[in-house]
Amino acid sequence: MIELDDDSRDALAEAFNLALGEAAASFADIVHEEIQMTVPVVELLPRAELVRQLQGLPRQGATTKLCSIAQRFDRQQGGLSTEAVLLFPEHGSLEIVRRMLGDCSPAAEQISELEQDALAEVGNIIINSCMNSLAHIFDAEMIGTLPGVRSAEPQELFASHPGNEMVLMARIGMNMLAQQISGYVLFLMELSALETGIERIRHFFELDPTPA
Amino acid sequence: MSPVRPASSPVTASVTAPLAATVIASVPTPVPPPTKAPAAPPWPMHHLLDTIDFGLLVLDRDARIVMANRWVRERMRSVPEPVGRRLADVWGGSIDPRLLFAVRECLEFGHSLRLSHAFHPVPLPLYRPGDAGDERMRHAVDVIATLPPQGSPEGAHQGNGALQCVLQIRDMSEIARRERLLKDQARQLRIELQRATEVQQELARQSLRFRELARQASVGLFETDAQGQLSYCNERCAQMLHVDALAQLGRHWLNMLPGDDVARLGPRWNAASSAQVRCADELCLGTSGAETWLRIEAGPILDVHRLPAGFIGTVTDVTEFREHARRNEYRANHDTLTGLVNRERFAERVHAAIAEAQRLGQRVAILFLDLNHFKQINDEHGHAVGDTALKAAAQRMRRCLRSDDMVARLGGDEFAALIPNAPEDASLERILGKLSKAIALPLNVGSCCLRIGCSVGMAIYPDHAADPASLLAHADEQMYQRKRQAHAAAAAGAAPRLRLVEAAPLR
């Protein structure tokens, strides 16, 4: 069981704060609106607990579904595998993409294939921008996958993973003030990658290596 | 939307798993470490890439095209051989700058990027095969960062760890067309839904309006189904028929009427409803002196196919109307002062009596009676006294005749009597005498006592004439003859048979 000392936790929080801040800034650029960010949360938790937290997030509209745009990043040499997930309430994500596409017709309940692709591109830009920062902090080249878009209930989002699998979660909330749409960026790191990650981050912040 | 693949998977691996397969992509599965990559297939495998139904362009770390599959080549137009050139060298400035940026980001940072069709409908100058037009084919490009497998010819060529960029190009024409169609249909549906909603609201408003109108209507309204079962009845209808509206719903509407009327109206209703025509009747409710006359009308309602859907009925209180009609009819046929029938009505009755007599071989007597010196009474005592005298004469005449006989005021001081089935002449002469004596009886008028005489003439059907006018003329003529005889006798000093005019104060 990995336990984080205070220094490491602070370093992780700072690293993700920087990266997630980039994501929010990039989001603001895309939608041309002011984005308000919440304080980032960094914690180690089982995936089942992560799902519980997602279920507790404030919702909008009638549906409880979340729209997730996910990308996975791997270092060429292995380790540091990270999953970046952008989450919006389903209705909010439709609003964003339709506004960007200039579609004024009343929002349908279901996202269309082209809208889904457009949403993938928007998420892709946001995620890649913050991954640039994180790769810089890790001092590693992180190779990313194409974004995958899903619309699902929170409990279904990580259904393919064991619920007791521990992950490091970094989360930040983004609110589009004008539209009252809230989104979240999650960084999930498996424990196998965590040790290397912490080392890289401590190095970046010029902290002493983790005591053995 | 393609499923997300591990970035380090060999491109050829995707041949067996089509990239443009599912709409919703799954979250990426964990990536196996690239250190145990399978042996790379040799480049001759390119012919397999020529069989797939989407475009593939592989760019090396210098962004030079190392492979373009047949799908791409078939959609390029008059461009130099792409292999060995950069995108901008092949297509010049007609590429979406975002694509060039994505390629750079892919090769520099290892990012994979999706250029969605919605934002970049035609990033490359590609054209549908066989299409001679200038319109670019609608497509979408995924820019995928990948590492050539270790030991592969291209890996060896570029150096291990050097990123490759794979452009996966999907034809979006059909998807875009389908979505446009769906959007149009959705828009049309929204318009129709809006219309339907408006119609529904208007119907609801009309229904409300009708209910309110029906509630406040001064006539009773009811509605039945095609079988005559009551489906609606307004308060006024229930009130007029003295029934409980709710209790009557679902029962036949005739049940709202009294039993006698049901028996009378039932057959008529059955005939009218079978023939789909209006049915109307009047019926009387209540006891004598306090009766209410109601007119009930029911007509069929036809649906859009002109088929019977039910009946709408009205119940109107016609008591006052009937009373007015009765009064008007009385006024039209009677003299309002004496209550006797007038000349027109009398002529009709004479006509009818002659016809009857003709049929039965009977006689009809017509009497013509004129009050003597009536003008003098009017002049000396005023019209009120004259009117009293006329009324008294009328009553006395009625009293002298049978109930089947008819007395009429022809106008002024002229009266007539019809005696159907007239007796023999002697009896008729007795009747004349009785009439003259009755009229000549003293009449108390306020403080005066009057004695009024009269002259009477008679005509007999068929003896004197066969039509009403001639009979009346004959009786009139006879009356004048007698009047002249009476005047002559008076002038000769003989006692008048019919004395007239004596006005003496009554003590």
PDB file of all heavy atoms in Angstrom, chain A residues 74 76 103 112-114 116-117 121 124 132 142-146 149-150, chain B residues 1 4-5 23 25 31 109-114 116 120 147 161 179 183:
ATOM      1  N   ASP A  74       0.878   7.081 -22.459  1.00  0.00           N
ATOM      2  CA  ASP A  74       1.915   6.151 -22.006  1.00  0.00           C
ATOM      3  C   ASP A  74       3.279   6.679 -22.401  1.00  0.00           C
ATOM      4  O   ASP A  74       3.444   7.281 -23.459  1.00  0.00           O
ATOM      5  CB  ASP A  74       1.694   4.785 -22.659  1.00  0.00           C
ATOM      6  CG  ASP A  74       0.454   4.110 -22.151  1.00  0.00           C
ATOM      7  OD1 ASP A  74       0.469   3.621 -21.011  1.00  0.00           O
ATOM      8  OD2 ASP A  74      -0.560   4.105 -22.900  1.00  0.00           O
ATOM      9  N   GLN A  76       7.003   6.093 -23.602  1.00  0.00           N
ATOM     10  CA  GLN A  76       7.570   5.112 -24.527  1.00  0.00           C
ATOM     11  C   GLN A  76       8.302   4.004 -23.786  1.00  0.00           C
ATOM     12  O   GLN A  76       8.229   2.841 -24.137  1.00  0.00           O
ATOM     13  CB  GLN A  76       8.517   5.835 -25.486  1.00  0.00           C
ATOM     14  CG  GLN A  76       8.918   4.991 -26.666  1.00  0.00           C
ATOM     15  CD  GLN A  76       9.771   5.782 -27.639  1.00  0.00           C
ATOM     16  OE1 GLN A  76       9.882   6.990 -27.521  1.00  0.00           O
ATOM     17  NE2 GLN A  76      10.368   5.099 -28.584  1.00  0.00           N
ATOM     18  N   ASP A 103     -25.296  25.885 -33.807  1.00  0.00           N
ATOM     19  CA  ASP A 103     -26.594  25.245 -34.031  1.00  0.00           C
ATOM     20  C   ASP A 103     -27.593  25.807 -33.017  1.00  0.00           C
ATOM     21  O   ASP A 103     -27.464  25.589 -31.825  1.00  0.00           O
ATOM     22  CB  ASP A 103     -26.453  23.726 -33.839  1.00  0.00           C
ATOM     23  CG  ASP A 103     -27.727  22.999 -34.188  1.00  0.00           C
ATOM     24  OD1 ASP A 103     -28.752  23.673 -34.410  1.00  0.00           O
ATOM     25  OD2 ASP A 103     -27.689  21.759 -34.246  1.00  0.00           O
ATOM     26  N   SER A 112     -25.553  13.572 -31.520  1.00  0.00           N
ATOM     27  CA  SER A 112     -25.434  12.918 -32.829  1.00  0.00           C
ATOM     28  C   SER A 112     -23.975  12.516 -33.047  1.00  0.00           C
ATOM     29  O   SER A 112     -23.082  12.900 -32.302  1.00  0.00           O
ATOM     30  CB  SER A 112     -25.911  13.860 -33.930  1.00  0.00           C
ATOM     31  OG  SER A 112     -24.883  14.776 -34.230  1.00  0.00           O
ATOM     32  N   GLU A 113     -23.777  11.727 -34.102  1.00  0.00           N
ATOM     33  CA  GLU A 113     -22.436  11.206 -34.364  1.00  0.00           C
ATOM     34  C   GLU A 113     -21.462  12.348 -34.641  1.00  0.00           C
ATOM     35  O   GLU A 113     -20.346  12.373 -34.125  1.00  0.00           O
ATOM     36  CB  GLU A 113     -22.515  10.258 -35.561  1.00  0.00           C
ATOM     37  CG  GLU A 113     -21.320   9.357 -35.679  1.00  0.00           C
ATOM     38  CD  GLU A 113     -21.506   8.316 -36.761  1.00  0.00           C
ATOM     39  OE1 GLU A 113     -22.667   8.016 -37.089  1.00  0.00           O
ATOM     40  OE2 GLU A 113     -20.491   7.811 -37.266  1.00  0.00           O
ATOM     41  N   LEU A 114     -21.902  13.311 -35.441  1.00  0.00           N
ATOM     42  CA  LEU A 114     -21.007  14.430 -35.776  1.00  0.00           C
ATOM     43  C   LEU A 114     -20.754  15.300 -34.543  1.00  0.00           C
ATOM     44  O   LEU A 114     -19.635  15.780 -34.334  1.00  0.00           O
ATOM     45  CB  LEU A 114     -21.611  15.283 -36.890  1.00  0.00           C
ATOM     46  CG  LEU A 114     -21.708  14.606 -38.254  1.00  0.00           C
ATOM     47  CD1 LEU A 114     -22.270  15.584 -39.277  1.00  0.00           C
ATOM     48  CD2 LEU A 114     -20.342  14.113 -38.714  1.00  0.00           C
ATOM     49  N   GLN A 116     -20.750  14.243 -31.550  1.00  0.00           N
ATOM     50  CA  GLN A 116     -19.864  13.467 -30.685  1.00  0.00           C
ATOM     51  C   GLN A 116     -18.416  13.615 -31.136  1.00  0.00           C
ATOM     52  O   GLN A 116     -17.504  13.759 -30.319  1.00  0.00           O
ATOM     53  CB  GLN A 116     -20.297  12.002 -30.735  1.00  0.00           C
ATOM     54  CG  GLN A 116     -19.604  11.152 -29.718  1.00  0.00           C
ATOM     55  CD  GLN A 116     -20.311   9.820 -29.577  1.00  0.00           C
ATOM     56  OE1 GLN A 116     -21.426   9.762 -29.088  1.00  0.00           O
ATOM     57  NE2 GLN A 116     -19.686   8.777 -30.040  1.00  0.00           N
ATOM     58  N   ASP A 117     -18.199  13.595 -32.426  1.00  0.00           N
ATOM     59  CA  ASP A 117     -16.857  13.801 -32.967  1.00  0.00           C
ATOM     60  C   ASP A 117     -16.334  15.186 -32.614  1.00  0.00           C
ATOM     61  O   ASP A 117     -15.165  15.357 -32.251  1.00  0.00           O
ATOM     62  CB  ASP A 117     -16.890  13.678 -34.499  1.00  0.00           C
ATOM     63  CG  ASP A 117     -16.372  12.325 -34.954  1.00  0.00           C
ATOM     64  OD1 ASP A 117     -16.178  11.470 -34.072  1.00  0.00           O
ATOM     65  OD2 ASP A 117     -16.172  12.144 -36.161  1.00  0.00           O
ATOM     66  N   GLU A 121     -13.081  16.352 -30.333  1.00  0.00           N
ATOM     67  CA  GLU A 121     -12.015  17.287 -30.706  1.00  0.00           C
ATOM     68  C   GLU A 121     -11.821  18.350 -29.628  1.00  0.00           C
ATOM     69  O   GLU A 121     -10.689  18.690 -29.281  1.00  0.00           O
ATOM     70  CB  GLU A 121     -12.334  17.951 -32.048  1.00  0.00           C
ATOM     71  CG  GLU A 121     -11.207  18.872 -32.478  1.00  0.00           C
ATOM     72  CD  GLU A 121     -11.380  19.439 -33.892  1.00  0.00           C
ATOM     73  OE1 GLU A 121     -12.220  18.922 -34.633  1.00  0.00           O
ATOM     74  OE2 GLU A 121     -10.665  20.400 -34.202  1.00  0.00           O
ATOM     75  N   ASN A 124     -10.185  16.738 -26.763  1.00  0.00           N
ATOM     76  CA  ASN A 124      -8.840  16.416 -27.212  1.00  0.00           C
ATOM     77  C   ASN A 124      -7.900  17.612 -27.030  1.00  0.00           C
ATOM     78  O   ASN A 124      -6.783  17.504 -26.505  1.00  0.00           O
ATOM     79  CB  ASN A 124      -8.953  16.042 -28.688  1.00  0.00           C
ATOM     80  CG  ASN A 124      -7.725  15.365 -29.257  1.00  0.00           C
ATOM     81  OD1 ASN A 124      -7.524  15.361 -30.437  1.00  0.00           O
ATOM     82  ND2 ASN A 124      -6.889  14.785 -28.405  1.00  0.00           N
ATOM     83  N   ASN A 132       0.655  18.352 -22.188  1.00  0.00           N
ATOM     84  CA  ASN A 132       1.938  18.977 -22.513  1.00  0.00           C
ATOM     85  C   ASN A 132       2.660  19.381 -21.241  1.00  0.00           C
ATOM     86  O   ASN A 132       3.852  19.148 -21.068  1.00  0.00           O
ATOM     87  CB  ASN A 132       1.697  20.239 -23.348  1.00  0.00           C
ATOM     88  CG  ASN A 132       1.719  19.921 -24.825  1.00  0.00           C
ATOM     89  OD1 ASN A 132       2.191  18.854 -25.215  1.00  0.00           O
ATOM     90  ND2 ASN A 132       1.211  20.841 -25.631  1.00  0.00           N
ATOM     91  N   MET A 142       5.084  11.580 -23.648  1.00  0.00           N
ATOM     92  CA  MET A 142       3.893  10.770 -23.380  1.00  0.00           C
ATOM     93  C   MET A 142       3.125  10.615 -24.691  1.00  0.00           C
ATOM     94  O   MET A 142       2.713  11.603 -25.297  1.00  0.00           O
ATOM     95  CB  MET A 142       2.999  11.465 -22.346  1.00  0.00           C
ATOM     96  CG  MET A 142       3.685  11.770 -21.029  1.00  0.00           C
ATOM     97  SD  MET A 142       4.076  10.286 -20.094  1.00  0.00           S
ATOM     98  CE  MET A 142       2.476   9.849 -19.468  1.00  0.00           C
ATOM     99  N   ILE A 143       2.943   9.377 -25.081  1.00  0.00           N
ATOM    100  CA  ILE A 143       2.224   9.126 -26.344  1.00  0.00           C
ATOM    101  C   ILE A 143       0.749   8.890 -26.022  1.00  0.00           C
ATOM    102  O   ILE A 143       0.410   8.044 -25.187  1.00  0.00           O
ATOM    103  CB  ILE A 143       2.819   7.919 -27.077  1.00  0.00           C
ATOM    104  CG1 ILE A 143       4.302   8.225 -27.378  1.00  0.00           C
ATOM    105  CG2 ILE A 143       2.058   7.630 -28.367  1.00  0.00           C
ATOM    106  CD1 ILE A 143       5.051   7.095 -27.987  1.00  0.00           C
ATOM    107  N   GLY A 144      -0.077   9.675 -26.695  1.00  0.00           N
ATOM    108  CA  GLY A 144      -1.506   9.623 -26.347  1.00  0.00           C
ATOM    109  C   GLY A 144      -2.347   8.905 -27.381  1.00  0.00           C
ATOM    110  O   GLY A 144      -1.992   8.819 -28.546  1.00  0.00           O
ATOM    111  N   THR A 145      -3.436   8.407 -26.916  1.00  0.00           N
ATOM    112  CA  THR A 145      -4.397   7.769 -27.823  1.00  0.00           C
ATOM    113  C   THR A 145      -5.374   8.821 -28.332  1.00  0.00           C
ATOM    114  O   THR A 145      -5.394   9.953 -27.851  1.00  0.00           O
ATOM    115  CB  THR A 145      -5.226   6.712 -27.088  1.00  0.00           C
ATOM    116  OG1 THR A 145      -5.950   7.373 -26.049  1.00  0.00           O
ATOM    117  CG2 THR A 145      -4.364   5.622 -26.509  1.00  0.00           C
ATOM    118  N   LEU A 146      -6.206   8.404 -29.279  1.00  0.00           N
ATOM    119  CA  LEU A 146      -7.297   9.281 -29.714  1.00  0.00           C
ATOM    120  C   LEU A 146      -8.309   9.380 -28.572  1.00  0.00           C
ATOM    121  O   LEU A 146      -8.430   8.463 -27.768  1.00  0.00           O
ATOM    122  CB  LEU A 146      -7.997   8.684 -30.931  1.00  0.00           C
ATOM    123  CG  LEU A 146      -7.321   8.902 -32.275  1.00  0.00           C
ATOM    124  CD1 LEU A 146      -8.113   8.139 -33.322  1.00  0.00           C
ATOM    125  CD2 LEU A 146      -7.267  10.376 -32.634  1.00  0.00           C
ATOM    126  N   VAL A 149     -15.186   9.031 -26.646  1.00  0.00           N
ATOM    127  CA  VAL A 149     -16.312   9.732 -26.025  1.00  0.00           C
ATOM    128  C   VAL A 149     -17.344   8.713 -25.587  1.00  0.00           C
ATOM    129  O   VAL A 149     -17.680   7.791 -26.341  1.00  0.00           O
ATOM    130  CB  VAL A 149     -16.952  10.720 -27.030  1.00  0.00           C
ATOM    131  CG1 VAL A 149     -18.163  11.394 -26.412  1.00  0.00           C
ATOM    132  CG2 VAL A 149     -15.945  11.757 -27.454  1.00  0.00           C
ATOM    133  N   ARG A 150     -17.827   8.865 -24.374  1.00  0.00           N
ATOM    134  CA  ARG A 150     -18.896   7.982 -23.879  1.00  0.00           C
ATOM    135  C   ARG A 150     -19.929   8.830 -23.170  1.00  0.00           C
ATOM    136  O   ARG A 150     -19.605   9.827 -22.534  1.00  0.00           O
ATOM    137  CB  ARG A 150     -18.355   7.002 -22.845  1.00  0.00           C
ATOM    138  CG  ARG A 150     -17.568   5.889 -23.385  1.00  0.00           C
ATOM    139  CD  ARG A 150     -17.244   4.923 -22.260  1.00  0.00           C
ATOM    140  NE  ARG A 150     -18.400   4.109 -21.919  1.00  0.00           N
ATOM    141  CZ  ARG A 150     -18.479   3.378 -20.822  1.00  0.00           C
ATOM    142  NH1 ARG A 150     -17.510   3.390 -19.931  1.00  0.00           N
ATOM    143  NH2 ARG A 150     -19.553   2.646 -20.575  1.00  0.00           N
TER     144      ARG A 150
ATOM    145  N   MET B   1     -17.497   7.071 -34.894  1.00  0.00           N
ATOM    146  CA  MET B   1     -16.434   7.237 -33.904  1.00  0.00           C
ATOM    147  C   MET B   1     -15.661   5.936 -33.796  1.00  0.00           C
ATOM    148  O   MET B   1     -16.235   4.873 -33.693  1.00  0.00           O
ATOM    149  CB  MET B   1     -17.084   7.569 -32.572  1.00  0.00           C
ATOM    150  CG  MET B   1     -16.136   7.584 -31.417  1.00  0.00           C
ATOM    151  SD  MET B   1     -15.348   9.147 -31.177  1.00  0.00           S
ATOM    152  CE  MET B   1     -16.618  10.275 -31.609  1.00  0.00           C
ATOM    153  N   VAL B   4     -10.958   3.605 -29.328  1.00  0.00           N
ATOM    154  CA  VAL B   4      -9.624   4.139 -29.064  1.00  0.00           C
ATOM    155  C   VAL B   4      -8.645   2.982 -28.967  1.00  0.00           C
ATOM    156  O   VAL B   4      -8.923   1.977 -28.332  1.00  0.00           O
ATOM    157  CB  VAL B   4      -9.650   4.944 -27.762  1.00  0.00           C
ATOM    158  CG1 VAL B   4      -8.258   5.405 -27.402  1.00  0.00           C
ATOM    159  CG2 VAL B   4     -10.584   6.120 -27.935  1.00  0.00           C
ATOM    160  N   ARG B   5      -7.564   3.129 -29.653  1.00  0.00           N
ATOM    161  CA  ARG B   5      -6.588   2.055 -29.672  1.00  0.00           C
ATOM    162  C   ARG B   5      -5.340   2.488 -28.938  1.00  0.00           C
ATOM    163  O   ARG B   5      -5.051   3.690 -28.857  1.00  0.00           O
ATOM    164  CB  ARG B   5      -6.203   1.738 -31.117  1.00  0.00           C
ATOM    165  CG  ARG B   5      -7.323   1.129 -31.911  1.00  0.00           C
ATOM    166  CD  ARG B   5      -6.998   1.149 -33.376  1.00  0.00           C
ATOM    167  NE  ARG B   5      -6.907   2.513 -33.866  1.00  0.00           N
ATOM    168  CZ  ARG B   5      -5.797   3.040 -34.330  1.00  0.00           C
ATOM    169  NH1 ARG B   5      -4.683   2.351 -34.359  1.00  0.00           N
ATOM    170  NH2 ARG B   5      -5.783   4.264 -34.759  1.00  0.00           N
ATOM    171  N   VAL B  23     -20.130   3.867 -32.532  1.00  0.00           N
ATOM    172  CA  VAL B  23     -20.387   5.279 -32.297  1.00  0.00           C
ATOM    173  C   VAL B  23     -19.719   5.725 -31.015  1.00  0.00           C
ATOM    174  O   VAL B  23     -19.098   6.762 -30.935  1.00  0.00           O
ATOM    175  CB  VAL B  23     -21.897   5.528 -32.239  1.00  0.00           C
ATOM    176  CG1 VAL B  23     -22.162   6.957 -31.771  1.00  0.00           C
ATOM    177  CG2 VAL B  23     -22.515   5.289 -33.582  1.00  0.00           C
ATOM    178  N   ALA B  25     -17.011   5.179 -28.209  1.00  0.00           N
ATOM    179  CA  ALA B  25     -15.756   4.476 -27.997  1.00  0.00           C
ATOM    180  C   ALA B  25     -15.620   4.040 -26.553  1.00  0.00           C
ATOM    181  O   ALA B  25     -16.164   4.661 -25.653  1.00  0.00           O
ATOM    182  CB  ALA B  25     -14.595   5.388 -28.370  1.00  0.00           C
ATOM    183  N   VAL B  31      -2.210  -0.327 -21.872  1.00  0.00           N
ATOM    184  CA  VAL B  31      -1.274  -0.573 -22.977  1.00  0.00           C
ATOM    185  C   VAL B  31      -0.174  -1.521 -22.504  1.00  0.00           C
ATOM    186  O   VAL B  31       0.438  -1.289 -21.479  1.00  0.00           O
ATOM    187  CB  VAL B  31      -0.610   0.750 -23.406  1.00  0.00           C
ATOM    188  CG1 VAL B  31       0.308   0.527 -24.593  1.00  0.00           C
ATOM    189  CG2 VAL B  31      -1.668   1.767 -23.727  1.00  0.00           C
ATOM    190  N   PHE B 109       5.106  15.837 -29.818  1.00  0.00           N
ATOM    191  CA  PHE B 109       4.712  15.527 -28.435  1.00  0.00           C
ATOM    192  C   PHE B 109       4.083  14.154 -28.263  1.00  0.00           C
ATOM    193  O   PHE B 109       3.766  13.755 -27.155  1.00  0.00           O
ATOM    194  CB  PHE B 109       3.720  16.585 -27.920  1.00  0.00           C
ATOM    195  CG  PHE B 109       4.235  17.983 -27.999  1.00  0.00           C
ATOM    196  CD1 PHE B 109       3.675  18.907 -28.853  1.00  0.00           C
ATOM    197  CD2 PHE B 109       5.326  18.374 -27.211  1.00  0.00           C
ATOM    198  CE1 PHE B 109       4.155  20.193 -28.929  1.00  0.00           C
ATOM    199  CE2 PHE B 109       5.814  19.674 -27.291  1.00  0.00           C
ATOM    200  CZ  PHE B 109       5.237  20.593 -28.156  1.00  0.00           C
ATOM    201  N   GLY B 110       3.850  13.448 -29.355  1.00  0.00           N
ATOM    202  CA  GLY B 110       3.238  12.121 -29.245  1.00  0.00           C
ATOM    203  C   GLY B 110       1.742  12.171 -29.032  1.00  0.00           C
ATOM    204  O   GLY B 110       1.132  11.191 -28.634  1.00  0.00           O
ATOM    205  N   HIS B 111       1.128  13.332 -29.262  1.00  0.00           N
ATOM    206  CA  HIS B 111      -0.323  13.420 -29.067  1.00  0.00           C
ATOM    207  C   HIS B 111      -1.075  12.868 -30.256  1.00  0.00           C
ATOM    208  O   HIS B 111      -0.644  13.035 -31.390  1.00  0.00           O
ATOM    209  CB  HIS B 111      -0.748  14.874 -28.876  1.00  0.00           C
ATOM    210  CG  HIS B 111      -0.218  15.462 -27.616  1.00  0.00           C
ATOM    211  ND1 HIS B 111      -0.277  16.794 -27.335  1.00  0.00           N
ATOM    212  CD2 HIS B 111       0.405  14.889 -26.544  1.00  0.00           C
ATOM    213  CE1 HIS B 111       0.273  17.027 -26.151  1.00  0.00           C
ATOM    214  NE2 HIS B 111       0.699  15.890 -25.666  1.00  0.00           N
ATOM    215  N   SER B 112      -2.163  12.238 -29.940  1.00  0.00           N
ATOM    216  CA  SER B 112      -3.089  11.854 -31.013  1.00  0.00           C
ATOM    217  C   SER B 112      -4.201  12.874 -31.029  1.00  0.00           C
ATOM    218  O   SER B 112      -4.658  13.309 -29.969  1.00  0.00           O
ATOM    219  CB  SER B 112      -3.664  10.467 -30.742  1.00  0.00           C
ATOM    220  OG  SER B 112      -2.615   9.517 -30.759  1.00  0.00           O
ATOM    221  N   LEU B 113      -4.665  13.241 -32.197  1.00  0.00           N
ATOM    222  CA  LEU B 113      -5.685  14.289 -32.280  1.00  0.00           C
ATOM    223  C   LEU B 113      -6.809  13.887 -33.222  1.00  0.00           C
ATOM    224  O   LEU B 113      -6.572  13.192 -34.219  1.00  0.00           O
ATOM    225  CB  LEU B 113      -5.078  15.607 -32.791  1.00  0.00           C
ATOM    226  CG  LEU B 113      -4.009  16.226 -31.917  1.00  0.00           C
ATOM    227  CD1 LEU B 113      -2.631  15.869 -32.435  1.00  0.00           C
ATOM    228  CD2 LEU B 113      -4.182  17.726 -31.855  1.00  0.00           C
ATOM    229  N   ARG B 114      -7.940  14.355 -32.856  1.00  0.00           N
ATOM    230  CA  ARG B 114      -9.100  14.110 -33.728  1.00  0.00           C
ATOM    231  C   ARG B 114      -9.519  15.435 -34.354  1.00  0.00           C
ATOM    232  O   ARG B 114      -9.775  16.407 -33.645  1.00  0.00           O
ATOM    233  CB  ARG B 114     -10.240  13.530 -32.900  1.00  0.00           C
ATOM    234  CG  ARG B 114     -11.584  13.628 -33.577  1.00  0.00           C
ATOM    235  CD  ARG B 114     -12.503  12.515 -33.184  1.00  0.00           C
ATOM    236  NE  ARG B 114     -11.966  11.240 -33.671  1.00  0.00           N
ATOM    237  CZ  ARG B 114     -12.417  10.048 -33.278  1.00  0.00           C
ATOM    238  NH1 ARG B 114     -13.369   9.985 -32.373  1.00  0.00           N
ATOM    239  NH2 ARG B 114     -11.903   8.958 -33.769  1.00  0.00           N
ATOM    240  N   SER B 116     -12.475  16.822 -35.986  1.00  0.00           N
ATOM    241  CA  SER B 116     -13.863  16.408 -36.214  1.00  0.00           C
ATOM    242  C   SER B 116     -14.388  17.005 -37.518  1.00  0.00           C
ATOM    243  O   SER B 116     -13.984  18.089 -37.930  1.00  0.00           O
ATOM    244  CB  SER B 116     -14.740  16.851 -35.059  1.00  0.00           C
ATOM    245  OG  SER B 116     -14.884  18.243 -35.075  1.00  0.00           O
ATOM    246  N   HIS B 120     -13.990  20.694 -39.111  1.00  0.00           N
ATOM    247  CA  HIS B 120     -13.101  20.684 -40.291  1.00  0.00           C
ATOM    248  C   HIS B 120     -13.705  19.746 -41.321  1.00  0.00           C
ATOM    249  O   HIS B 120     -13.319  18.579 -41.419  1.00  0.00           O
ATOM    250  CB  HIS B 120     -11.700  20.182 -39.894  1.00  0.00           C
ATOM    251  CG  HIS B 120     -11.217  20.794 -38.610  1.00  0.00           C
ATOM    252  ND1 HIS B 120     -10.691  22.050 -38.541  1.00  0.00           N
ATOM    253  CD2 HIS B 120     -11.242  20.319 -37.345  1.00  0.00           C
ATOM    254  CE1 HIS B 120     -10.384  22.318 -37.282  1.00  0.00           C
ATOM    255  NE2 HIS B 120     -10.714  21.283 -36.526  1.00  0.00           N
ATOM    256  N   LEU B 147       4.429   4.365 -32.533  1.00  0.00           N
ATOM    257  CA  LEU B 147       5.845   4.005 -32.632  1.00  0.00           C
ATOM    258  C   LEU B 147       5.950   2.800 -33.548  1.00  0.00           C
ATOM    259  O   LEU B 147       5.193   1.845 -33.393  1.00  0.00           O
ATOM    260  CB  LEU B 147       6.376   3.603 -31.251  1.00  0.00           C
ATOM    261  CG  LEU B 147       6.622   4.749 -30.264  1.00  0.00           C
ATOM    262  CD1 LEU B 147       6.850   4.177 -28.872  1.00  0.00           C
ATOM    263  CD2 LEU B 147       7.847   5.541 -30.708  1.00  0.00           C
ATOM    264  N   GLY B 161      12.423   4.412 -31.412  1.00  0.00           N
ATOM    265  CA  GLY B 161      11.862   5.478 -30.561  1.00  0.00           C
ATOM    266  C   GLY B 161      11.375   6.655 -31.344  1.00  0.00           C
ATOM    267  O   GLY B 161      10.787   7.568 -30.773  1.00  0.00           O
ATOM    268  N   GLU B 179     -27.168  12.799 -41.131  1.00  0.00           N
ATOM    269  CA  GLU B 179     -27.448  13.678 -39.984  1.00  0.00           C
ATOM    270  C   GLU B 179     -28.225  14.913 -40.407  1.00  0.00           C
ATOM    271  O   GLU B 179     -29.068  15.404 -39.670  1.00  0.00           O
ATOM    272  CB  GLU B 179     -26.141  14.068 -39.287  1.00  0.00           C
ATOM    273  CG  GLU B 179     -25.547  12.888 -38.561  1.00  0.00           C
ATOM    274  CD  GLU B 179     -24.790  13.268 -37.309  1.00  0.00           C
ATOM    275  OE1 GLU B 179     -24.697  14.466 -36.995  1.00  0.00           O
ATOM    276  OE2 GLU B 179     -24.296  12.354 -36.632  1.00  0.00           O
ATOM    277  N   LYS B 183     -31.708  15.892 -38.947  1.00  0.00           N
ATOM    278  CA  LYS B 183     -31.958  17.218 -38.373  1.00  0.00           C
ATOM    279  C   LYS B 183     -33.170  17.865 -39.036  1.00  0.00           C
ATOM    280  O   LYS B 183     -33.998  18.471 -38.358  1.00  0.00           O
ATOM    281  CB  LYS B 183     -30.733  18.117 -38.546  1.00  0.00           C
ATOM    282  CG  LYS B 183     -29.770  18.021 -37.377  1.00  0.00           C
ATOM    283  CD  LYS B 183     -28.654  19.030 -37.541  1.00  0.00           C
ATOM    284  CE  LYS B 183     -27.544  18.811 -36.542  1.00  0.00           C
ATOM    285  NZ  LYS B 183     -27.874  19.168 -35.189  1.00  0.00           N
TER     286      LYS B 183
END
